[in-house]
Amino acid sequence: MNLPRYARVLLAIGSGAALGLAFPNYNFYLLAWIAMGMLVLASAGAPLKEAPLYGFLHGQVFYPVCLPWVDTVMRQYGNIDPWVAAAFVGLIGFIGGLICTMFSTGVALASRKSKLLACVIAPFLWTALEYFRTNIPIIGSSWDLSGYPATNSLALLQIASVTGIYGLCFLIGAFGALLAYAVLVNTARVWKIAGCVAALFIVVALGGSRLVPAATPHYVAHLVQTNFPQSESYPPDWLTIHAGELDQLEKISVDAAREEPGLIIWPEVPAPFSLQEPLFAARASRIARDANNYFLVGVLDWKQDAGKYLAFNSAVLLNPAGQRIYSYNKIHLLPFGEYVPLRGWLTFAKRLTADLSDFTPGSTYSVGQIPQGKFGAFICYEAIFPSEVRRFTAGGAQLLITISNDGWFGRSSAPEQHMFMARVRAVENRRWLLRDTNNGYTESIDPYGRTAAQLAIDIRGQLTAPYDFRSDLTPYARFGDWFSWLCIVVTVVLLGFALVKRAN
């Protein structure tokens, strides 16, 4: 099957669009299952000098389709000129496209040996590249990895407990490659195999959820959704101006914990909350004492080092006596949101962090403890990185807590995408996950990925969130990204096989 160039271009563009539309807020999840097949078809049999183009086109379409909110955030909160914001989104697509060129080139190279080899190597190579783009220094991100659309099936989602999200990336890629192979060889036998596999997936996806165990919670936490409007800057007397709203939040927190005792949680700092600020420190301590409960709160934590003040994005736990007993400083900061990489060169981006200056990254994946058990608390952007969240579980955390301020995203697709990804961390680690945000989505997720309780978005209130502690370790929590490394090894072997055979 020798496709003309225009058909390959259309397939590459279509694959990027289809994969992008599989994510919130479009939610055409089934498109992900054919997207990779379209890209394999575009790449297999293509001349090596043309093959990189098809992967590049895929990336140039996929990222702008699923990340349009990046432009909104930069313009609304960074005061970035529209053309600069649009160019930045284009840059994301450019970088993503460069990574995808390795996929299309690899498939094209393997196809010179055989169509079968090209389709066999495709899911391994794709998964290896998804892992690679997650771990690129500074700019690496696992936002909207291709496996997430598969998590809409509760049964398929359980695979993540063994392989992490990368196993689902492989599954999406493998099914797409099978469809591509059926088109390329176009025989009744292969089409029957593809049909049987598709039927099996449908049966598992629709009926397998009945086999997923139920989790029984024994405790409750009170997740307080503060619902403060996002602001680019805060006046020095902000706490005084908003004293009435803070009184309301204090009452919501204390009343809930008195009615049903449980841990109180406030989200990632949505305002100038700092325990170095006497007014807020007094209020936070009072909430813990009056509720007679533990209080986990997101704060801006200042520390002095060599005469210089350093700012940390932190989660701090106060005991029922109002004393600070635990803190976690966010380690994986958001590039261009919490710090500007290559600041000397990217001068336009300094405005994004001008109000707070750059945060300083933490260094320790610290585990906290309340009388019932141990917990790990990670902050916002960190929830999309599987290998980082598992460090808390490997370090003894029996409960996962993530606090976030998604107010920066407005009502774009980003908050739902963020929640979509955080949910998988619960399954990978087989832990209850408490997710507290400024304005939504605030929820409790059980160890199998079910939403046990959720608070309405864009309201001020609290969610009485059920949860429990677990101490068992999943294969993913125990061994980490073993599956991704397996895909890397298999990819190298298969590419080597194609090259050696060509040389002979």
Side-chain angles (χ1 to χ4, degrees):
M1 182 177 181
N2 189 18
L3 292 174
R5 184 182 301 172
Y6 77 87
R8 295 183 186 277
V9 167
L10 290 176
L11 282 167
I13 293 173
S15 69
L19 187 58
L21 292 171
F23 288 88
N25 285 346
Y26 313 105
N27 298 321
F28 297 111
Y29 306 120
L30 293 179
L31 289 179
W33 293 91
I34 64 172
M36 296 315 304
M38 296 169 70
L39 185 54
V40 172
L41 282 175
S43 308
L48 288 182
K49 64 180 181 180
E50 291 180 11
L53 171 66
Y54 305 125
F56 184 75
L57 288 174
H58 170 90
Q60 279 288 79
V61 174
F62 168 67
Y63 289 98
V65 167
C66 73
L67 302 177
W69 51 265
V70 173
D71 174 82
T72 302
V73 171
M74 293 187 73
R75 287 189 289 106
Q76 185 170 347
Y77 298 111
N79 292 319
I80 302 299
D81 295 330
W83 68 269
V84 176
F88 189 80
V89 176
L91 177 62
I92 294 174
F94 180 83
I95 295 172
L98 289 180
I99 296 173
C100 292
T101 63
M102 291 186 273
F103 176 79
S104 55
T105 303
V107 170
L109 178 64
S111 70
R112 299 180 74 173
K113 168 60 181 172
S114 74
K115 296 172 183 177
L116 178 60
L117 181 60
C119 293
V120 168
I121 200 174
F124 292 99
L125 175 57
W126 181 257
T127 305
L129 290 174
E130 290 284 72
Y131 182 72
F132 170 71
R133 68 118 153 162
T134 298
N135 293 281
I136 300 173
I138 301 177
I139 60 172
S141 174
S142 56
W143 193 283
D144 284 358
L145 291 173
S146 58
Y148 283 109
T151 67
N152 283 279
S153 163
L154 189 66
L156 294 180
L157 174 56
Q158 305 314 308
I159 294 172
S161 66
V162 179
T163 64
I165 185 61
Y166 302 105
L168 295 171
C169 295
F170 181 88
L171 198 64
I172 291 279
F175 184 77
L178 176 60
L179 291 181
Y181 185 65
V183 172
L184 288 170
V185 300
N186 196 25
T187 65
R189 180 172 177 269
V190 176
W191 276 113
K192 285 181 181 179
I193 293 173
C196 290
V197 171
L200 176 62
F201 278 171
I202 292 171
V203 170
V204 172
L206 297 181
S209 59
R210 298 178 183 178
L211 302 177
V212 178
T216 303
H218 294 92
Y219 307 101
V220 298
H222 300 286
L223 313 184
V224 178
Q225 194 166 272
T226 49
N227 199 39
F228 282 114
Q230 199 59 52
S231 177
E232 297 176 55
S233 61
Y234 299 97
D237 58 349
W238 189 95
L239 291 173
T240 301
I241 295 172
H242 294 271
E245 293 170 279
L246 290 168
D247 288 343
Q248 180 188 16
L249 288 167
E250 181 174 339
K251 186 176 188 305
I252 288 171
S253 304
V254 173
D255 287 353
R258 284 178 174 175
E259 181 177 347
E260 191 169 4
L263 173 68
I264 300 168
I265 304 175
W266 280 23
E268 178 190 22
V269 55
F273 294 169
S274 173
L275 294 181
Q276 284 75 45
E277 162 57 56
L279 281 177
F280 184 76
R283 184 182 294 275
S285 181
R286 186 169 62 245
I287 289 173
R289 293 196 310 272
D290 290 353
N292 192 32
N293 264 290
Y294 289 83
F295 179 28
L296 183 73
V297 56
V299 297
L300 175 63
D301 212 16
W302 292 95
K303 297 180 181 179
Q304 191 172 13
D305 181 47
K308 180 181 179 181
Y309 280 95
L310 304 178
F312 294 86
N313 186 351
S314 304
V316 172
L317 181 70
L318 305 180
N319 65 16
Q323 301 166 325
R324 175 173 176 162
I325 60 171
Y326 161 85
S327 64
Y328 167 72
N329 298 324
K330 185 177 182 181
I331 293 173
H332 200 135
L333 301 175
L334 175 64
F336 304 104
E338 294 171 309
Y339 82 106
V340 177
L342 307 177
R343 171 178 283 267
W345 294 352
L346 304 178
T347 55
F348 76 89
K350 293 180 182 179
R351 282 175 284 178
L352 289 169
T353 58
D355 297 315
L356 293 175
S357 105
D358 286 350
F359 282 107
T360 300
S363 58
T364 305
Y365 292 91
S366 53
V367 172
Q369 185 163 9
I370 57 178
Q372 296 82 5
K374 297 179 179 180
F375 67 89
F378 47 98
I379 301 175
C380 194
Y381 185 60
E382 294 179 311
I384 74 170
F385 292 97
S387 61
E388 296 180 17
V389 174
R390 69 165 285 273
R391 293 191 185 210
F392 292 99
T393 306
Q398 301 162 303
L399 165 71
L400 296 176
I401 301 172
T402 180
I403 59 175
S404 184
N405 176 16
D406 288 355
W408 290 103
F409 301 135
R411 277 300 131 217
S412 67
S413 58
E416 188 175 353
Q417 290 178 3
H418 200 186
M419 178 270 291
F420 197 50
M421 294 179 284
R423 169 176 171 248
V424 182
R425 306 293 84 83
V427 180
E428 288 169 340
N429 295 278
R430 202 64 83 202
R431 295 288 185 268
W432 283 85
L433 174 67
L434 301 178
R435 185 171 192 265
D436 189 28
T437 70
N438 175 35
N439 65 335
Y441 295 82
T442 294
E443 57 186 20
S444 169
I445 301 169
D446 82 2
Y448 301 96
R450 297 183 183 91
T451 298
Q454 187 179 78
L455 191 63
I457 62 175
D458 296 325
I459 67 167
R460 178 169 293 153
Q462 73 87 29
L463 175 69
T464 299
Y467 75 94
D468 211 338
F469 295 90
R470 290 183 62 148
S471 57
D472 54 315
L473 292 178
T474 64
Y476 181 75
R478 189 181 298 273
F479 302 113
D481 294 317
W482 67 271
F483 183 76
S484 301
W485 283 102
L486 175 63
C487 287
I488 292 171
V489 171
V490 172
T491 297
V492 171
V493 170
L494 292 179
L495 282 176
F497 175 74
L499 288 169
V500 168
K501 287 297 182 180
R502 281 189 63 223
N504 291 339

